[in-house]
Amino acid sequence: MWWIAGVCAICLLLCLPFFLHYKKNLRFKLAAAFKVCGTLCAASFALIAAIRLDPRCWICFAALILHATADYFLEFSLYIGAGFFLAGHICYIAFFTSIFPPTAVHLICAVCLLATMGYMFFFRWRKQIGKQLPLFAVYGAVLSLMCACAVASLTGYTLQGQLIAIGGALFFLSDTMICCRILFTAGRTIDWAIMITYYAAQLLFGISCLLI
């Protein structure tokens, strides 16, 4: 398992700080390249699992590749990046539900997260979002469903389900912080918080494939 720790270290201790460093220095293409590499670290786990363990992991690998693509474009275009993230979220939903079929817990989690997003977008932050409300609403809905499917994986009572559930919670937290950063003034500290929770979520999703 040392190689898993090594890949995680490359993601969190190399790709993450270099991404933020080059972004701070306005070298956006180089920053985006390191950002993509961090997500590809998580994708390597899913790739190995797809080849050697279970073909269902190809769905998770596809989600991570789509997210890696989104990581790059998001540095230059919010709409293109969001589009790739949406596609990746849909793949994650398919992957999670293929391992842990939908139950009443999935529905409860989805309702809670959708209600949270709806409250923030349509009441608390409606003025700040303005004309971008349709984009935020669609993305928020798909994100909520994806994270709900992830959190509901706890019903499997397995280590794999626990990793997926923690990853889903972290992903929801990360994207909520991104939304706050877009709509409100924020310092550099939040960039670290966003990327740490984001990479941690992706790594947990990838590692969960090795436990299938």
Side-chain angles (χ1 to χ4, degrees):
M1 293 296 177
W2 285 105
W3 68 275
I4 296 178
V7 172
C8 292
I10 291 172
C11 175
L12 296 172
L13 302 180
L14 182 66
C15 297
L16 191 160
F18 272 107
F19 159 62
L20 293 176
H21 169 75
Y22 284 118
K23 185 174 182 177
K24 177 184 174 183
N25 288 279
L26 306 182
R27 300 182 65 179
F28 297 114
K29 290 185 178 180
L30 192 54
F34 276 103
K35 187 180 182 183
V36 169
C37 287
T39 305
L40 291 179
C41 288
S44 67
F45 297 139
L47 177 61
I48 292 170
I51 294 172
R52 306 198 59 171
L53 299 177
D54 192 316
R56 287 179 296 179
C57 294
W58 284 114
I59 307 174
C60 183
F61 177 70
L64 284 160
I65 292 300
L66 286 168
H67 281 180
T69 306
D71 285 336
Y72 184 85
F73 284 109
L74 199 60
E75 296 303 309
F76 309 100
S77 171
L78 175 64
Y79 290 96
I80 296 176
F84 278 105
F85 263 118
L86 279 174
H89 292 347
I90 293 171
C91 287
Y92 267 144
I93 292 172
F95 175 64
F96 299 150
T97 54
S98 71
I99 300 174
F100 301 100
T103 64
V105 177
H106 287 73
L107 178 60
I108 293 171
C109 290
V111 170
C112 291
L113 292 181
L114 285 170
T116 301
M117 279 292 182
Y119 173 71
M120 290 190 297
F121 290 168
F122 291 97
F123 293 97
R124 289 293 301 274
W125 300 341
R126 182 182 180 88
K127 182 178 179 181
Q128 289 80 6
I129 294 174
K131 295 181 179 179
Q132 290 184 313
L133 184 59
L135 172 65
F136 275 75
V138 171
Y139 183 84
V142 177
L143 171 69
S144 297
L145 291 175
M146 185 275 283
C147 293
C149 290
V151 173
S153 298
L154 282 173
T155 57
Y157 301 104
T158 63
L159 177 59
Q160 181 188 34
Q162 292 169 2
L163 294 182
I164 291 174
I166 295 171
L170 289 174
F171 210 116
F172 190 83
L173 176 61
S174 177
D175 273 16
T176 300
M177 288 190 289
I178 289 176
C179 185
C180 291
R181 185 187 62 185
I182 292 173
L183 300 176
F184 306 99
T185 302
R188 291 199 200 96
T189 304
I190 197 172
D191 290 332
W192 282 92
I194 288 169
M195 291 309 299
I196 289 172
T197 51
Y198 171 70
Y199 277 147
Q202 299 286 35
L203 289 169
L204 288 173
F205 290 156
I207 293 171
S208 72
C209 291
L210 299 173
L211 304 174
I212 201 165

